[in-house]
Each structure stands twice: as structure tokens, then as C-alpha cells.
Amino acid sequence: MTTSIVNTQQLKAIISEENWDQLFELVKPKHFVRQEAGELPDTAILAQICQLLINETSPDTVKILCLKCVGNSCLDIYKYRQHTLGNREPDKYNKYLYNKLAENNVCQHEEDCGYPHISHFPYDGVIEWTIDYINAHAEYTNCLTANELDIFRLSIQFLCNLFTYACKNATFVENENVLRYLNHDNLKQAITNSIRSDHKPLVSAACIFVHNALKELQENYFTDDEKNRLCSQLSKPIKEGFTSAKDALLHMLHRPNVFEAMYDSMAMSEQLDLLQIIYDELWQSTSQAVPILTNDTAEFLALTFCKKSDLILKTVDTYINSIDPTEVILILNILGLLTLKPYKISENARPLLINCKYLLMSLHMMGKESNNYFTPITNLSQVAPNVQRRTINVNLTTNDAGVSEETTNHDPQDHPVYGFKSGLIKVIGNMVYRDKMCQDLFREIDGIPLLLDCCNIDARNPLILQWAILALRNLCEGNLENQEIIRNCKKEGTVDNTVLQEMGLTLHEDTDGQSIRIAPLRRD
């Protein structure tokens, strides 16, 4: 079995006769990938493929085939190295060199010139051609034909394969040569702009290029401003499911002391997209020991929450028009995960814990003052009708739109502060876990009675009872002073519990006053 079923003379005749049907029949991109068995295409065949590619008269379909073959060849067959012919200056796209290589008469023997023809290939001409093609068509990608778009995409893919695989373990000079080709603003802008294309294969190629460039090329290949713009541009393909886009963003987020400048340079909508992406990634990787974000990013988000969290208080009895609390809500959700291991907020731990306590207290007290969006819903039957109406309203006619909006607006899940108190308690519980400083601080600011008062079922804050109990448990673990506060609590009696009453149950205090049990509710 052979990898290629075309030899040099056959290929030369096919090209000379422009017998493209036979070319497509005999030359396959898979022939240019190393396999377990089979003969690899020699330098002369690859040089002929390069000649076809850079030939202005070659049909687009032929160029597509050539780009696929050349792109595959630098995956694991050939490494990149420049080739010079004595004192001869290289011509455009190395046409003369490729002609000599195709004729097998550049060097009669490898030792004559010292060039390792068996393992290396001078891709310079192809590099120049693909870069020129990308730059020439970058502004008109929406107007390109399907074949032209494929050439554009495969050109990006070839360059990506080149520096990712064909330059591994290369010498400093060889790497510098590749960087000299790639380090042009027009090329980088053309590729990053392709990230926003509607053509998904092109988006994929551009995202992979960016990701590999961030990892394989010099750290400063993309400037800080370019990286900031990339973070904004990558959000769209990330939401569309491109893994390489997400990996590229996470790679940039791993850099220390860059998140703040990156975040501040974004528009609000872009910030919200970034926060949502971070939250989703943190949620999916909570079991991993390797952190997604740097510590300085966690500190920045904690400080940002402290500065902006008061916005949530303006949602007490109305919906927000000029102020969007989504940023605060997303950051709180992120902090609920960042306060878990392997992260550790230390520099802003005190202000964050104090802020969470007083914000929780404000929400709690405002909920007691009047019936508003912070008032706990302990009677779950108040929520069930809203769910039912919301289901019915899906099929309402246009004339009923006003009714639909009115009923939906009263559903607690539709309000931005839904679950916010639970989120605050979650952060508090995480921060005080086996942290003596945070445990003592929360006691000193009278936070324990507040948590005890939050131990109720609340339809506006799912699992608030469970989070409050967990936070109290973490406050008391290894802290005798906090345990003493709980121990000194006095029983004042029992209170009516509407949740139990809905279930036909009630709380019953024994005659000795030492215990309380759940008993069936007596109906009159």
C-alpha cells in the first residue's frame, strides 16, 4: 500500500495538460498525512503542488485541493526551514525554487547544500501567497464565492498548521522567520475579524488560529489592545459552541494583572457576556483543582461587587429602567463559586464579607417593612397560581398581551433579585468555612442573628433555609465564641408556619416546654 498513487512524472503531465479531473482522482489530501504504512510524498511532488497553488491561472477548485495538501503536509511530515540558492535572491512566492525542487535538481545530494530535504520543506512561497490572499480579500468576505471563501479559510488554516506543528523545536532563526511573516497588523486584523463571520467553518479556523497563536507564538504577538478586543469578539463564537474560542479566552484570562483593564475597556453588553461565560465555565469546572481565573481577577470581581452592589436596593418596589442590576447579579453568582477552593479571596475578604452582611440586612429589613420584591413568600400557594397563569399565557392572542405582561411581571422569578439573598448567604457561608478571621469578623458585625432570622422558606430565594443552616454550621466549626452565641439563644415560643399549614401540619410544643414537634393540624 502506498500513501500516494501519483509520481512526479505523472503529476507533471497532469499539470501540463491541465487534466484537472485526473488530478482530483489521483491526488488526495490524505496522501499528505503520515500513516502507519506507505510512502510519503517526496519534495518534488510537494513542490509541484505549491507551483499549482501560486499559479494565477489555476482554477479555484485546484487551489483548494493544493491548500489542503500543503496544509496537511506540515502537520507531521515536513518541518519548516528556509532554503537559499547560492547568491540568488528569492523571487515572488519562490517560484524559481519550487521549479527546481519539482525537477529534483536543486541539490544532487543532500550533503551538497546541507538542506535536510527528507524532513524539511521551504514553505516561504506558500506563506507569502496565503498572507497576500487573506489581506486582499479580508474586507470582502461577505461577497466571496463559496470557493473563494474556502481558499480564504484554508489559507488561515495552513498558517495555523505551519506555526503550530511545522515549527515545533525549530531554531530561533526559523521561528523569527515565521514571526516576520505573521506579525503584520493587516493579517491579524483580517483573522480576528473573521471571528465575527457568519460562515462557521471560517469562524472555526480563525478561532483555532487565535488560540494556537496565543499558546505557540511569542507572548506579545497580540498586543494588549488586540487581546482586549479579542475578548469582546470571542464571546459570539463561544455562545455558538466553538470550543477553541472558549479556550482562547480562558488562556487570556489566565494572564495575571490584565483582567481589570480588559473588563473596563468593554461595553456593558460585552461585560455581561464575559461574566456569563466565566460563570458557566466555573460552574462546569467546580470539581477541578486547576483555577480558571487568577487571584487578582477574583479580587477585582470582589471589589467591583462591593462598589456596585447597592444598585440592587433600587429594585425594591419597581423594575429598573436606567440601571441594570444584571452585572451585580452575575458577579454575585461568580463569587459564590470563587469563594470555593482552589480560589482564595484575601485582600478584599473583609470588605466583601462586611458588604454581604449589610446588604443582606438591608434586603431583609426592607422586606419586613412592606410588601415588596424583597418580602419573603413563605406561603407557596401564592406562587403556584403564577406558574399556572404563565403556562396559560403562552397561548394568549395579541389582544390579551396586556394581561399576559401584567401576570408575568408578578412572578418572583421574573424579578432580577430572585435568589439574590440566597446568593449572599452562599458567599458568606463559603467565606467563613474554616477561616477564623472571617468567622470572628462576621460575629463582630452581628451577622449571626441575621442568619438565624433568614432560616425560613422563601419562594423568592430557593434553598435560602439550607444555605443559612450551612453558613451557621461553618461559622460555628472550630469557633467557640460563635457556638456560644447559638447556645445562648432563648426560645420565645412557636410561630405560625404557613408552609406547614398548607400541608395540614403545625408546630406543637410539649408541656415541659423543652421540645417542639410537628403534629397534624386540627381542623374545625
PDB file of all heavy atoms in Angstrom, residues 13 24 38-39 42 84 141 249 340 363 377 381 409-411 466 469 484:
ATOM      1  N   ALA A  13       2.758  15.704 -15.958  1.00  0.00           N
ATOM      2  CA  ALA A  13       1.957  15.589 -17.180  1.00  0.00           C
ATOM      3  C   ALA A  13       0.533  16.085 -16.950  1.00  0.00           C
ATOM      4  O   ALA A  13      -0.058  16.769 -17.803  1.00  0.00           O
ATOM      5  CB  ALA A  13       1.941  14.135 -17.651  1.00  0.00           C
ATOM      6  N   PHE A  24      -7.808  15.421  -9.487  1.00  0.00           N
ATOM      7  CA  PHE A  24      -8.668  15.170  -8.332  1.00  0.00           C
ATOM      8  C   PHE A  24      -8.794  13.676  -8.035  1.00  0.00           C
ATOM      9  O   PHE A  24      -9.000  13.274  -6.888  1.00  0.00           O
ATOM     10  CB  PHE A  24     -10.062  15.766  -8.566  1.00  0.00           C
ATOM     11  CG  PHE A  24     -10.078  17.266  -8.609  1.00  0.00           C
ATOM     12  CD1 PHE A  24     -10.674  17.941  -9.663  1.00  0.00           C
ATOM     13  CD2 PHE A  24      -9.494  18.010  -7.600  1.00  0.00           C
ATOM     14  CE1 PHE A  24     -10.692  19.324  -9.712  1.00  0.00           C
ATOM     15  CE2 PHE A  24      -9.511  19.392  -7.632  1.00  0.00           C
ATOM     16  CZ  PHE A  24     -10.103  20.057  -8.695  1.00  0.00           C
ATOM     17  N   GLY A  38       3.174   3.069   4.220  1.00  0.00           N
ATOM     18  CA  GLY A  38       3.009   3.781   2.963  1.00  0.00           C
ATOM     19  C   GLY A  38       4.120   4.768   2.704  1.00  0.00           C
ATOM     20  O   GLY A  38       4.813   5.225   3.607  1.00  0.00           O
ATOM     21  N   GLU A  39       4.275   5.084   1.458  1.00  0.00           N
ATOM     22  CA  GLU A  39       5.318   6.002   1.024  1.00  0.00           C
ATOM     23  C   GLU A  39       4.823   7.436   1.120  1.00  0.00           C
ATOM     24  O   GLU A  39       3.704   7.753   0.710  1.00  0.00           O
ATOM     25  CB  GLU A  39       5.700   5.672  -0.421  1.00  0.00           C
ATOM     26  CG  GLU A  39       6.772   6.572  -0.998  1.00  0.00           C
ATOM     27  CD  GLU A  39       7.024   6.254  -2.457  1.00  0.00           C
ATOM     28  OE1 GLU A  39       6.538   5.205  -2.919  1.00  0.00           O
ATOM     29  OE2 GLU A  39       7.688   7.055  -3.126  1.00  0.00           O
ATOM     30  N   ASP A  42       7.261  12.862  -1.899  1.00  0.00           N
ATOM     31  CA  ASP A  42       8.594  13.446  -1.807  1.00  0.00           C
ATOM     32  C   ASP A  42       8.541  14.945  -2.063  1.00  0.00           C
ATOM     33  O   ASP A  42       7.497  15.518  -2.379  1.00  0.00           O
ATOM     34  CB  ASP A  42       9.570  12.749  -2.757  1.00  0.00           C
ATOM     35  CG  ASP A  42       9.139  12.862  -4.213  1.00  0.00           C
ATOM     36  OD1 ASP A  42       8.370  13.789  -4.537  1.00  0.00           O
ATOM     37  OD2 ASP A  42       9.568  12.021  -5.024  1.00  0.00           O
ATOM     38  N   THR A  84      17.973  28.574   0.566  1.00  0.00           N
ATOM     39  CA  THR A  84      18.565  29.600  -0.300  1.00  0.00           C
ATOM     40  C   THR A  84      19.353  28.927  -1.413  1.00  0.00           C
ATOM     41  O   THR A  84      19.953  27.863  -1.219  1.00  0.00           O
ATOM     42  CB  THR A  84      19.501  30.515   0.502  1.00  0.00           C
ATOM     43  OG1 THR A  84      20.502  29.715   1.161  1.00  0.00           O
ATOM     44  CG2 THR A  84      18.716  31.303   1.544  1.00  0.00           C
ATOM     45  N   THR A 141     -15.207  39.475   2.607  1.00  0.00           N
ATOM     46  CA  THR A 141     -15.545  38.071   2.853  1.00  0.00           C
ATOM     47  C   THR A 141     -17.032  37.789   2.640  1.00  0.00           C
ATOM     48  O   THR A 141     -17.409  36.680   2.253  1.00  0.00           O
ATOM     49  CB  THR A 141     -15.144  37.657   4.283  1.00  0.00           C
ATOM     50  OG1 THR A 141     -15.721  38.576   5.220  1.00  0.00           O
ATOM     51  CG2 THR A 141     -13.633  37.644   4.437  1.00  0.00           C
ATOM     52  N   LEU A 249     -10.109  32.402  25.074  1.00  0.00           N
ATOM     53  CA  LEU A 249     -10.482  33.383  26.097  1.00  0.00           C
ATOM     54  C   LEU A 249      -9.924  32.983  27.458  1.00  0.00           C
ATOM     55  O   LEU A 249      -9.357  33.814  28.182  1.00  0.00           O
ATOM     56  CB  LEU A 249     -12.004  33.505  26.165  1.00  0.00           C
ATOM     57  CG  LEU A 249     -12.545  34.443  27.247  1.00  0.00           C
ATOM     58  CD1 LEU A 249     -12.098  35.874  26.989  1.00  0.00           C
ATOM     59  CD2 LEU A 249     -14.063  34.370  27.322  1.00  0.00           C
ATOM     60  N   LEU A 340     -15.070  29.278  46.746  1.00  0.00           N
ATOM     61  CA  LEU A 340     -14.745  27.874  46.978  1.00  0.00           C
ATOM     62  C   LEU A 340     -13.290  27.631  46.595  1.00  0.00           C
ATOM     63  O   LEU A 340     -12.682  28.412  45.864  1.00  0.00           O
ATOM     64  CB  LEU A 340     -15.649  26.962  46.134  1.00  0.00           C
ATOM     65  CG  LEU A 340     -17.151  26.998  46.443  1.00  0.00           C
ATOM     66  CD1 LEU A 340     -17.912  26.263  45.351  1.00  0.00           C
ATOM     67  CD2 LEU A 340     -17.426  26.369  47.798  1.00  0.00           C
ATOM     68  N   LEU A 363     -31.700  44.191  52.653  1.00  0.00           N
ATOM     69  CA  LEU A 363     -32.753  43.493  51.916  1.00  0.00           C
ATOM     70  C   LEU A 363     -33.753  42.855  52.876  1.00  0.00           C
ATOM     71  O   LEU A 363     -34.970  42.888  52.649  1.00  0.00           O
ATOM     72  CB  LEU A 363     -32.139  42.418  51.015  1.00  0.00           C
ATOM     73  CG  LEU A 363     -31.181  42.888  49.914  1.00  0.00           C
ATOM     74  CD1 LEU A 363     -30.624  41.691  49.155  1.00  0.00           C
ATOM     75  CD2 LEU A 363     -31.882  43.829  48.952  1.00  0.00           C
ATOM     76  N   ILE A 377     -41.757  35.149  50.502  1.00  0.00           N
ATOM     77  CA  ILE A 377     -43.009  34.451  50.209  1.00  0.00           C
ATOM     78  C   ILE A 377     -42.912  33.079  50.866  1.00  0.00           C
ATOM     79  O   ILE A 377     -42.279  32.161  50.349  1.00  0.00           O
ATOM     80  CB  ILE A 377     -43.238  34.305  48.692  1.00  0.00           C
ATOM     81  CG1 ILE A 377     -43.298  35.680  48.018  1.00  0.00           C
ATOM     82  CG2 ILE A 377     -44.519  33.532  48.418  1.00  0.00           C
ATOM     83  CD1 ILE A 377     -43.481  35.622  46.515  1.00  0.00           C
ATOM     84  N   SER A 381     -48.428  28.659  48.077  1.00  0.00           N
ATOM     85  CA  SER A 381     -49.616  28.698  47.221  1.00  0.00           C
ATOM     86  C   SER A 381     -49.736  30.034  46.503  1.00  0.00           C
ATOM     87  O   SER A 381     -50.440  30.149  45.504  1.00  0.00           O
ATOM     88  CB  SER A 381     -50.872  28.443  48.052  1.00  0.00           C
ATOM     89  OG  SER A 381     -51.036  29.465  49.028  1.00  0.00           O
ATOM     90  N   ASN A 409     -45.297  39.795  35.209  1.00  0.00           N
ATOM     91  CA  ASN A 409     -44.477  40.713  35.990  1.00  0.00           C
ATOM     92  C   ASN A 409     -44.600  40.467  37.486  1.00  0.00           C
ATOM     93  O   ASN A 409     -43.780  40.964  38.249  1.00  0.00           O
ATOM     94  CB  ASN A 409     -44.856  42.162  35.675  1.00  0.00           C
ATOM     95  CG  ASN A 409     -44.298  42.616  34.341  1.00  0.00           C
ATOM     96  OD1 ASN A 409     -43.425  41.958  33.795  1.00  0.00           O
ATOM     97  ND2 ASN A 409     -44.803  43.717  33.829  1.00  0.00           N
ATOM     98  N   HIS A 410     -45.632  39.748  37.915  1.00  0.00           N
ATOM     99  CA  HIS A 410     -45.795  39.484  39.333  1.00  0.00           C
ATOM    100  C   HIS A 410     -45.182  38.159  39.747  1.00  0.00           C
ATOM    101  O   HIS A 410     -45.251  37.788  40.909  1.00  0.00           O
ATOM    102  CB  HIS A 410     -47.283  39.517  39.703  1.00  0.00           C
ATOM    103  CG  HIS A 410     -47.856  40.902  39.744  1.00  0.00           C
ATOM    104  ND1 HIS A 410     -48.294  41.554  38.618  1.00  0.00           N
ATOM    105  CD2 HIS A 410     -48.028  41.771  40.783  1.00  0.00           C
ATOM    106  CE1 HIS A 410     -48.743  42.760  38.950  1.00  0.00           C
ATOM    107  NE2 HIS A 410     -48.589  42.912  40.259  1.00  0.00           N
ATOM    108  N   ASP A 411     -44.625  37.450  38.829  1.00  0.00           N
ATOM    109  CA  ASP A 411     -43.964  36.197  39.171  1.00  0.00           C
ATOM    110  C   ASP A 411     -42.599  36.512  39.770  1.00  0.00           C
ATOM    111  O   ASP A 411     -41.812  37.241  39.169  1.00  0.00           O
ATOM    112  CB  ASP A 411     -43.803  35.331  37.918  1.00  0.00           C
ATOM    113  CG  ASP A 411     -43.432  33.908  38.280  1.00  0.00           C
ATOM    114  OD1 ASP A 411     -42.405  33.725  38.958  1.00  0.00           O
ATOM    115  OD2 ASP A 411     -44.180  32.991  37.898  1.00  0.00           O
ATOM    116  N   GLN A 466     -31.544  26.227  53.567  1.00  0.00           N
ATOM    117  CA  GLN A 466     -30.405  25.306  53.570  1.00  0.00           C
ATOM    118  C   GLN A 466     -29.076  26.057  53.577  1.00  0.00           C
ATOM    119  O   GLN A 466     -28.137  25.679  54.287  1.00  0.00           O
ATOM    120  CB  GLN A 466     -30.482  24.378  52.349  1.00  0.00           C
ATOM    121  CG  GLN A 466     -31.596  23.342  52.417  1.00  0.00           C
ATOM    122  CD  GLN A 466     -32.959  23.893  51.997  1.00  0.00           C
ATOM    123  OE1 GLN A 466     -33.111  25.097  51.786  1.00  0.00           O
ATOM    124  NE2 GLN A 466     -33.946  23.019  51.885  1.00  0.00           N
ATOM    125  N   ILE A 469     -28.484  27.522  57.072  1.00  0.00           N
ATOM    126  CA  ILE A 469     -28.050  26.498  58.032  1.00  0.00           C
ATOM    127  C   ILE A 469     -26.594  26.115  57.781  1.00  0.00           C
ATOM    128  O   ILE A 469     -25.801  25.959  58.726  1.00  0.00           O
ATOM    129  CB  ILE A 469     -28.969  25.264  57.936  1.00  0.00           C
ATOM    130  CG1 ILE A 469     -30.375  25.624  58.428  1.00  0.00           C
ATOM    131  CG2 ILE A 469     -28.400  24.102  58.742  1.00  0.00           C
ATOM    132  CD1 ILE A 469     -31.400  24.523  58.223  1.00  0.00           C
ATOM    133  N   GLU A 484     -21.082  29.782  71.258  1.00  0.00           N
ATOM    134  CA  GLU A 484     -21.686  30.308  72.480  1.00  0.00           C
ATOM    135  C   GLU A 484     -22.883  31.199  72.166  1.00  0.00           C
ATOM    136  O   GLU A 484     -23.885  31.195  72.900  1.00  0.00           O
ATOM    137  CB  GLU A 484     -20.633  31.095  73.270  1.00  0.00           C
ATOM    138  CG  GLU A 484     -21.075  31.516  74.660  1.00  0.00           C
ATOM    139  CD  GLU A 484     -21.292  30.323  75.594  1.00  0.00           C
ATOM    140  OE1 GLU A 484     -20.756  29.232  75.309  1.00  0.00           O
ATOM    141  OE2 GLU A 484     -22.018  30.491  76.596  1.00  0.00           O
TER     142      GLU A 484
END
